[in-house]
Amino acid sequence: MNETKPVARVLIVGAGPTGMVLALWLARLGVAVRIIDKTASPGTTSRALAVQIRTLELYRQLGIANQVTAHGHWVETVNLWVAGRKTARLGFGAAGNDFSAYPGPIIYPQDEHEKMLVDELASVGVIVERCCELLDFAEIKGQVSARVRGANGVEESVVVDYIAGCDGAHSRVREVLNIGFPGGTYEHLFYVADIEGRGEPVNGELHVALDTNDFLAVFPMAKAGTVRLVGTVRQAPDDAHQSLSWDDVSQRVVQWLHLEVIKVNWLSTYRVHHRVAQQFRKGRAFLLGDAAHIHSPAGGQGMNTGIGDAVNLAWKLAAVLQARGRDALLDTYEPERIAFARRLVKSTDRGFREVTSSNWLARRVRLDLVPVVAPMALHFRVVRRFMLRTISQLLVSYPASALSEGRAGAVRAGQRLPWVRMSVEAEDNFAPLSSLDWQVHVYGVPSAELSEACLARRLPLHAFAWQAEAMRAGFTRDAAYLVRPDGYIALIRVMGRAADLLSYLDRHGIVARGSR
Ligand SMILES: Cc1cc2nc3c(=O)[nH]c(=O)nc-3n(C[C@H](O)[C@H](O)[C@H](O)COP(=O)(O)OP(=O)(O)OC[C@H]3O[C@@H](n4cnc5c(N)ncnc54)[C@H](O)[C@@H]3O)c2cc1C
């Protein structure tokens, strides 16, 4: 018997990490998608290395975090070198376990990462359509009609409810929508190289080296004796970009780090841009990932931010397509994600300029101030924790969103659900998030009216015994926390009153999946 494939509701353009995570989350929620990519195969170069804690938490919801943790390399120690001298060595150890099930960021090269996502997609019946290019699209009568050219060169018209532009920095979707991509390009040329080497910087730790005119970051990789270098190529003519080799890159810092390069496995040079699209949505089309924002790769944020966009949009699209949420849910995608993208681009821009600027003042700050102030500041646990939480994207929050209501103690709606390691129950409070569904959490005892309301709406209610860990995480005893499918808090009510919960669900038209 021939199985007929369900008609796709969403066309995903681009099978980089952003597009594939969007496809995977939608598929898990039962939404039929098509995902196309104009290239013949997934990327074969390592590019984004760092997978942040928040991404691991989102992957845990999908049941794929273990694929990353089993093959990646944890970053536990960071060394700061200034003008040939090691000025700080900071052990983060498993600091992340104070606020997450994951100890810290993990190094997992993008090529392996993409292969894993391709396999996960195949396991849920979604095959990336290769050599398939989006040419054009238009919104017609409440749908999107797209023109794509397939592997055989034949053009096809694809009609879907929504189109997602996950098609990278040179996005065709953004171009068709005529959305501006303001920002700029840094003057310097940078290189990325995966090398085999010897010396102290190849000790499994992260090394950041600053110099008068140079900058070099050495990232550990899973295979012993291999590292990723990210550094500057100075005074390169505009057209040198294509032809530069290892011999052309700046060797000064490499030499004073006593880094012996045995073999260069991959080298790429690139200009770094910092741009944010003026809109992330126009009608039935959305922009995500590099199509929406690009910045310096130095902080290891780019790919992770694209994955965050994908998750933010996926559950909203699924809810609207399955009549489990009002259309207005989709209006919250842009304000939630563009605000974070703008902050991120601004902060990476500032940091990147300070690290690479050749201006006199910036050089003095880099060479005289940083070696003194950085070790002092990082000596304090509170500073280290704040840094780790920021880099890990655990502080991304949506307090101003139309979906966020209420606060209790230090916890505000819009924040990621604080993580609690349960000393009584076997698991932590993130385990139920794998349902990808709305849910209510109570730390303590839920009121009878709240329990009844959840039962009536078939909204899963998770009551965790009150314990010191929950208090430390910032929860208020017996308060009700309505949690979104992506693990952010939507509504907080201290008295656990059911009327407010019901009114919230009705206003947003929310129907839990558990109730279908
Ligand atoms: C050298 C380098 C190092 C980096 N290091 C880091 C790092 O350490 N940490 C980090 O977080 N990020 C890093 N990044 C950034 C990271 O690689 C990107 O942020 C990430 O790849 C973005 O994913 P994406 O899926 O949004 O876009 P992409 O990975 O760019 O994927 C877009 C896809 O869309 C396809 N496509 C484009 N146009 C069309 C069309 N018309 N039709 C069909 N398909 C189309 C492309 O073929 C491509 O496969 C680095 C980038 C580079 C270049």
Side-chain angles (χ1 to χ4, degrees):
M1 208 173 75
N2 269 346
E3 255 186 63
T4 42
K5 269 186 100 174
V7 178
R9 312 288 307 270
V10 181
L11 175 64
I12 298 170
V13 185
T18 305
M20 287 197 280
V21 171
L22 178 65
L24 198 50
W25 202 287
L26 283 169
R28 288 282 166 84
L29 291 175
V31 175
V33 300
R34 275 182 77 171
I35 174 165
I36 62 170
D37 199 290
K38 66 181 181 184
T39 59
S41 58
T44 52
T45 53
S46 58
R47 294 157 295 151
L49 283 186
V51 178
Q52 303 294 351
I53 293 179
R54 185 66 191 130
T55 302
L56 290 172
E57 291 179 345
L58 295 170
Y59 277 10
R60 178 180 173 195
Q61 289 189 248
L62 284 173
I64 62 172
N66 289 348
Q67 308 273 27
V68 180
T69 55
H71 300 106
H73 175 85
W74 297 105
V75 186
E76 291 176 2
T77 309
V78 180
N79 299 274
L80 178 66
W81 300 74
V82 180
R85 221 164 43 86
K86 195 198 284 185
T87 56
R89 179 171 185 272
L90 286 161
F92 283 91
N97 286 143
D98 286 352
F99 34 76
S100 172
Y102 299 99
I106 190 165
I107 300 289
Y108 186 54
Q110 191 171 332
D111 52 343
E112 289 176 42
H113 195 152
E114 289 187 10
K115 263 192 236 135
M116 181 276 285
L117 291 172
V118 168
D119 292 346
E120 287 300 325
L121 275 175
S123 75
V124 292
V126 178
I127 304 297
V128 175
E129 297 173 48
R130 292 272 162 204
C131 299
C132 190
E133 183 175 2
L134 173 82
L135 301 175
D136 213 341
F137 68 93
E139 219 175 292
I140 301 169
K141 294 186 189 150
Q143 286 199 299
V144 174
S145 176
R147 202 157 54 83
V148 303
R149 185 170 45 223
N152 50 11
V154 175
E155 287 185 19
E156 180 196 356
S157 160
V158 179
V159 178
V160 284
D161 294 281
Y162 296 99
I163 185 167
C166 307
D167 47 348
H170 305 287
S171 170
R172 174 69 184 143
V173 174
R174 195 182 61 234
E175 193 181 25
V176 172
L177 294 172
N178 197 19
I179 291 178
F181 203 29
T185 306
Y186 299 103
E187 57 177 306
H188 306 302
L189 192 57
F190 291 82
Y191 74 89
V192 189
D194 287 349
I195 63 135
E196 291 169 33
R198 268 194 291 262
E200 187 177 346
V202 194
N203 62 354
E205 299 176 359
L206 173 62
H207 298 261
V208 178
L210 308 176
D211 199 3
T212 30
N213 282 322
D214 281 330
F215 154 83
L216 180 67
V218 184
F219 294 87
M221 294 183 60
K223 191 170 162 221
T226 61
V227 286
R228 148 77 63 89
L229 309 181
V230 178
T232 40
V233 180
R234 300 238 157 210
Q235 282 132 14
D238 278 353
D239 56 357
H241 192 29
Q242 308 296 337
S243 54
L244 287 174
S245 74
W246 175 249
D247 296 330
D248 300 306
V249 309
S250 192
Q251 302 289 334
R252 192 176 139 92
V253 182
V254 174
Q255 277 160 11
W256 63 242
L257 274 177
H258 301 296
L259 171 64
E260 187 189 337
V261 177
I262 299 166
K263 189 174 170 213
V264 179
N265 290 327
W266 169 64
L267 179 121
S268 174
T269 53
Y270 62 101
R271 288 208 181 268
V272 176
H273 307 266
H274 49 103
R275 297 176 189 278
V276 182
Q278 275 164 331
Q279 285 170 263
F280 282 14
R281 177 189 185 186
K282 220 178 208 180
R284 295 184 162 265
F286 296 87
L287 294 177
L288 303 86
D290 276 18
H293 42 76
I294 46 170
H295 46 82
S296 140
Q301 303 291 310
M303 179 189 69
N304 294 277
T305 306
I307 292 169
D309 294 342
V311 174
N312 187 291
L313 182 62
W315 69 266
K316 295 172 182 171
L317 275 177
V320 171
L321 286 168
Q322 296 168 342
R324 288 184 290 99
R326 294 201 201 295
D327 281 9
L329 270 186
L330 293 174
D331 295 338
T332 64
Y333 167 70
E334 177 180 297
E336 288 186 357
R337 296 306 294 178
I338 209 167
F340 172 58
R342 285 184 180 142
R343 275 199 311 277
L344 180 66
V345 169
K346 208 166 152 193
S347 55
T348 48
D349 180 37
R350 202 183 316 122
F352 204 56
R353 275 184 204 286
E354 274 158 22
V355 164
T356 59
S357 169
S358 43
N359 130 334
W360 176 85
L361 186 63
R363 276 209 327 236
R364 292 289 39 106
V365 168
R366 206 156 62 223
L367 299 180
D368 300 335
L369 209 59
V370 169
V372 180
V373 174
M376 262 168 30
L378 293 168
H379 178 72
F380 294 102
R381 188 161 174 257
V382 63
V383 176
R384 290 207 304 272
R385 276 169 60 107
F386 178 74
M387 259 184 72
L388 185 60
R389 284 159 73 100
T390 305
I391 289 169
S392 302
Q393 302 203 339
L394 297 176
L395 298 181
V396 173
S397 65
Y398 315 122
S401 171
L403 294 178
S404 307
E405 284 180 35
R407 72 179 299 162
V411 179
R412 266 183 92 172
Q415 286 177 6
R416 150 195 173 267
L417 180 75
W419 176 79
V420 183
R421 183 192 293 110
M422 292 296 155
S423 50
V424 180
E425 289 94 337
E427 287 193 279
D428 59 19
N429 64 333
F430 273 33
L433 300 180
S434 59
S435 66
L436 309 184
D437 200 3
W438 288 88
Q439 53 198 271
V440 173
H441 283 206
V442 173
Y443 298 80
V445 182
S447 66
E449 63 167 309
L450 184 75
S451 304
E452 272 166 37
C454 290
L455 196 65
R457 296 295 175 102
R458 296 173 69 184
L459 183 66
L461 169 63
H462 300 280
F464 302 90
W466 180 248
Q467 50 198 284
E469 289 277 357
M471 191 170 68
R472 257 198 297 275
F475 286 111
T476 297
R477 189 171 193 162
D478 301 342
Y481 298 85
L482 174 65
V483 184
R484 306 176 359 170
D486 56 359
Y488 289 84
I489 299 174
L491 173 78
I492 307 179
R493 283 298 177 260
V494 178
M495 302 304 289
R497 283 186 44 223
D500 291 348
L501 172 72
L502 295 174
S503 143
Y504 182 98
L505 296 176
D506 292 340
R507 256 178 296 125
H508 298 287
I510 290 159
V511 180
R513 280 159 50 77
S515 64
R516 284 276 165 91

